[in-house]
Amino acid sequence: DGGITQSPKYLFRKEGQNVTLSCEQNLNHDAMYWYRQDPGQGLRLIYYSHIVNDFQKGDIAEGYSVSREKKESFPLTVTSAQKNPTAFYLCASTPGASTGIGTEAFFGQGTRLTVV
Amino acid sequence: GQQVMQIPQYQHVQEGEDFTTYCNSSTTLSNIQWYKQRPGGHPVFLIQLVKSGEVKKQKRLTFQFGEAKKNSSLHITATQTTDVGTYFCAGRSNYQLIWGAGTKLIIKP
């Protein structure tokens, strides 16, 4: 089955640590995205990538880093510079950067990160 | 920057009552998508509207796209417990998906 896999589902981080959240898709989608969701809030864009080896900052990129070395993988690192990292992180992909039909976003199951 | 405002933030309804959420964009959109997020889950795509003035129905859900392609609404008739969750609109503009903040549908006990 095609889809997006995020791991782990739950992650606990000590203050001062960097942690990496995994996102893998086998949908052959060009574009991938990372969102942060706080309780009762909407989705805020952290980073996005429309093509391999290229990515752009979203609205809240500070304290985060990404890489896009392979089309199917878009890992997110939450660095120690992110002062309030406790949140629900969602990875998504779309077929491409075009505005055409059928470009809906497919989401992974999410990773709940908690700072302890 | 480009924004999509979505209201209300919450709507409490009795089971069987109707529910409506509205989205308004600061710019003209190429299309608008609607998603549903169940409690503890991830957003799931419901529908996409592309044409000016378009209306689409999915059973008890009616989706509308405004004539100017800047606003949209989702109306649920006779809500059921299975409708509980947060409904998001996402407008596509300049190769980006711009998300509304979501409207949480709560069924009163």
Side-chain angles (χ1 to χ4, degrees):
Chain A
D1 286 336
I4 301 181
T5 302
Q6 286 186 243
S7 62
K9 189 172 182 180
Y10 299 95
L11 185 58
F12 297 89
R13 190 195 94 169
K14 293 182 180 179
E15 289 198 21
Q17 274 186 338
N18 291 356
V19 290
T20 297
L21 283 58
S22 171
C23 179
E24 303 278 333
Q25 55 99 357
N26 60 4
L27 299 166
N28 199 34
H29 284 175
D30 289 319
M32 296 186 75
Y33 309 81
W34 274 106
Y35 293 94
R36 170 179 171 144
Q37 188 175 36
D38 292 285
Q41 303 297 313
L43 304 177
R44 291 190 290 168
L45 182 64
I46 304 172
Y47 269 98
Y48 64 97
S49 168
H50 285 161
I51 196 169
V52 175
N53 292 322
D54 186 56
F55 50 82
Q56 305 294 330
K57 292 182 179 180
D59 300 318
I60 56 165
E62 186 175 350
Y64 300 96
S65 66
V66 293
S67 63
R68 187 84 188 278
E69 296 176 2
K70 298 187 295 183
K71 186 176 185 178
E72 57 270 23
S73 179
F74 192 40
L76 173 74
T77 297
V78 184
T79 74
S80 57
Q82 171 50 241
K83 297 306 178 188
N84 185 24
T86 295
F88 186 45
Y89 290 88
L90 286 159
C91 179
S93 71
T94 60
S98 73
T99 59
I101 302 296
T103 54
E104 66 265 25
F106 292 78
F107 283 84
Q109 300 290 326
T111 294
R112 293 194 183 277
L113 174 63
T114 304
V115 173
V116 295
Chain B
Q2 295 171 320
Q3 289 187 336
V4 172
M5 303 300 293
Q6 186 172 0
I7 58 169
Q9 187 176 6
Y10 302 94
Q11 190 166 359
H12 295 77
V13 300
Q14 298 279 4
E15 189 173 2
E17 291 182 339
D18 293 354
F19 162 86
T20 307
T21 174
Y22 301 91
C23 287
N24 191 50
S25 169
S26 57
T27 59
T28 302
L29 302 169
S30 302
N31 58 55
I32 194 157
Q33 299 171 2
W34 286 91
Y35 294 77
K36 177 183 179 181
Q37 184 177 24
R38 294 182 185 273
H42 61 281
V44 175
F45 174 79
L46 293 176
I47 207 163
Q48 177 171 275
L49 305 172
V50 179
K51 298 177 184 176
S52 170
E54 190 169 14
V55 178
K56 286 188 175 180
K57 292 190 176 185
Q58 289 181 347
K59 297 183 180 178
R60 293 177 294 103
L61 278 62
T62 302
F63 304 84
Q64 293 187 323
F65 200 12
E67 293 290 340
K69 300 183 75 172
K70 295 178 75 172
N71 60 283
S72 183
S73 65
L74 158 60
H75 180 81
I76 302 177
T77 304
T79 55
Q80 300 175 358
T81 55
T82 53
D83 296 325
V84 163
T86 301
Y87 293 84
F88 292 95
C89 63
R92 189 168 286 279
S93 176
N94 295 330
Y95 302 105
Q96 294 295 334
L97 263 181
I98 307 163
W99 291 83
T103 296
K104 190 171 185 178
L105 169 57
I106 300 164
I107 303 284
K108 297 177 186 176

